[in-house]
Amino acid sequence: MGMRMVEKVRPILRVFGLFLVCMGVCGCSRVRDVANANREELPVEDVLGEMAEVMEEKEEEAKRNAGYEEKWYVDAWIDSWLFGAEEETAREVVRDENAYQIVSTQDGEGEYIALASEDGTCFMRRPSNRTKSSYLESEGAFRFEIPVDWIWGYCELDERLDSFWEEEDVPCLIWGIEDNDMGEDAFSDDWEGVCASVRKTAETVFGKKLSEFAAKKYTLEEGQDVYNFRCAFYDERGYFWVTNAAYRFGEKYMLEFIGIKKGEGDANLENMALYTAATYEEYGGERYLEYEGEGSYKGMGIWDYKKLHNPFVLAYEQANGKEWNGEK
């Protein structure tokens, strides 16, 4: 089926490896100069443009070496060049185990994001190893904080989504952005109705394997709302999974962040979708990132929000490695 992102690890790693090469190995000065000149953001348009140019040059070089004979030879040659550079630049990744933890009071150490709800105000701990460059940005349009040291690539589950992941494909964070034609108060106007609708979708997708469902609306200090839905379920082999879907509706764009995690450990990682959504900032400009294709948007018959993906169908397919076919 090729539904799980693990089957796209090497193609996406090629993109990540190319980024590493651009930053310091192959001497692509434009990307490196952009990064060094302004360490506050990672400019998407500059990096992607440079990556595309470098890959095109290397593909042409590989074709010349292969005499245009075999595609596998070209791919292997590029992999050798790309992953050889990646191995040279590899470094140990140290995770902040307390990152994304939600607490009722601040302990005086580190930075927090305040989240107000009908139950009071709680605080989400920001990663201690985050840097000023820990953002994905489309200059003049938007930015949001990205998981520290995670890999960014496209999502095999739908062509109108991208993803971050730490090791192989789980846990992972899926995200997408579209023009907002639902309004800034898309979920607030009928929050109880939205909760009932989303719960019904989760129950339809997972059936008796649904273990937990929770919905929460938070308000940031700046006044914007963040919506989060947590769903725990068992896959068909009996393994426990958690998915969190968080949403932001800006004046110009709307974003969806879907976290999918296997197992009960690393509970703080369950909050990553909410955290990433909470860090979203919008500046009013035109976004650089555009998707190719219309997307599959599976499970729309049981999902009321047509420009947002059905997060539970995506989680089902990620967990079970096959398509969900329960839609009538």
Side-chain angles (χ1 to χ4, degrees):
M1 291 299 302
M3 296 307 304
R4 301 188 65 204
M5 276 181 275
V6 68
E7 298 186 19
K8 282 292 184 179
V9 166
R10 283 194 66 82
I12 303 175
L13 278 176
R14 295 175 74 182
V15 175
F16 177 63
L18 180 57
F19 171 76
L20 292 177
V21 171
C22 289
M23 291 301 292
V25 176
C26 73
C28 298
S29 60
R30 279 171 291 174
V31 172
R32 193 165 59 249
D33 290 344
V34 168
N36 290 335
N38 182 1
R39 298 298 298 173
E40 294 184 358
E41 291 92 14
L42 176 64
V44 176
E45 39 271 73
D46 291 303
V47 173
L48 291 182
E50 189 71 22
M51 287 166 63
E53 291 179 14
V54 174
M55 182 59 81
E56 184 177 356
E57 292 173 1
K58 289 301 176 181
E59 285 182 347
E60 289 300 318
E61 184 177 350
K63 288 177 181 178
R64 289 194 298 271
N65 291 342
Y68 292 86
E69 294 176 356
E70 298 287 349
K71 181 180 185 302
W72 69 265
Y73 181 93
V74 175
D75 289 343
W77 193 93
I78 293 174
D79 281 348
S80 176
W81 166 76
L82 202 51
F83 286 98
E86 180 185 343
E87 290 172 0
E88 292 177 6
T89 58
R91 60 188 176 84
E92 183 180 359
V93 176
V94 179
R95 183 200 294 177
D96 177 4
E97 299 295 338
N98 294 318
Y100 319 118
Q101 180 183 24
I102 295 179
V103 296
S104 58
T105 59
Q106 302 181 54
D107 61 9
E109 298 182 3
E111 297 179 83
Y112 294 83
I113 294 177
L115 301 169
S117 71
E118 60 182 8
D119 299 323
T121 300
C122 60
F123 303 90
M124 182 177 292
R125 190 188 299 268
R126 310 193 79 160
S128 61
N129 56 346
R130 59 189 284 268
T131 68
K132 292 183 179 180
S133 60
S134 298
Y135 287 88
L136 187 150
E137 180 206 18
S138 184
E139 186 175 359
F142 71 88
R143 75 170 188 170
F144 59 84
E145 194 170 322
I146 59 179
V148 177
D149 292 319
W150 283 34
I151 301 169
W152 172 31
Y154 67 93
C155 178
E156 175 70 1
L157 295 171
D158 195 287
E159 61 189 353
R160 293 189 72 82
L161 291 169
D162 287 318
S163 62
F164 294 96
W165 77 95
E166 185 178 34
E167 297 175 358
E168 294 187 355
D169 63 329
V170 178
C172 65
L173 177 66
I174 301 169
W175 71 280
I177 182 171
E178 299 288 353
D179 294 340
N180 184 9
D181 59 6
M182 296 176 62
E184 294 183 69
D185 299 320
F187 283 175
S188 294
D189 288 341
D190 182 22
W191 175 237
E192 291 186 1
V194 170
C195 293
S197 173
V198 175
R199 173 187 281 274
K200 183 178 179 181
T201 298
E203 292 172 344
T204 302
V205 172
F206 299 116
K208 294 181 179 179
K209 296 186 182 296
L210 178 64
S211 174
E212 304 169 30
F213 178 86
K216 202 82 170 177
K217 180 178 74 171
Y218 297 101
T219 301
L220 302 172
E221 289 182 304
E222 297 80 9
Q224 303 95 338
D225 290 330
V226 186
Y227 311 90
N228 189 70
F229 303 91
R230 180 185 184 276
C231 179
F233 64 97
Y234 293 91
D235 65 21
E236 295 183 358
R237 299 163 298 175
Y239 293 112
F240 183 79
W241 291 74
V242 176
T243 184
N244 276 269
Y247 301 93
R248 287 291 301 274
F249 297 93
E251 181 178 353
K252 195 172 184 66
Y253 304 115
M254 58 184 186
L255 287 88
E256 54 188 329
F257 298 91
I258 304 168
I260 303 174
K261 183 181 76 70
K262 180 181 179 181
E264 299 182 2
D266 294 325
N268 294 338
L269 286 179
E270 297 176 10
N271 302 322
M272 185 180 290
L274 172 61
Y275 177 86
T276 309
T279 64
Y280 172 70
E281 301 172 20
E282 189 171 292
Y283 305 116
E286 296 298 322
R287 59 188 167 102
Y288 172 77
L289 179 64
E290 295 289 348
Y291 299 108
E292 296 182 3
E294 297 299 321
S296 55
Y297 288 91
K298 300 172 184 177
M300 288 294 103
I302 57 169
W303 179 248
D304 291 333
Y305 312 101
K306 304 308 179 185
K307 288 192 70 174
L308 300 173
H309 292 79
N310 185 327
F312 308 122
V313 167
L314 294 176
Y316 175 93
E317 294 186 350
Q318 175 74 5
N320 291 288
K322 65 178 184 179
E323 290 188 7
W324 179 78
N325 58 6
E327 186 173 0
K328 298 294 186 284

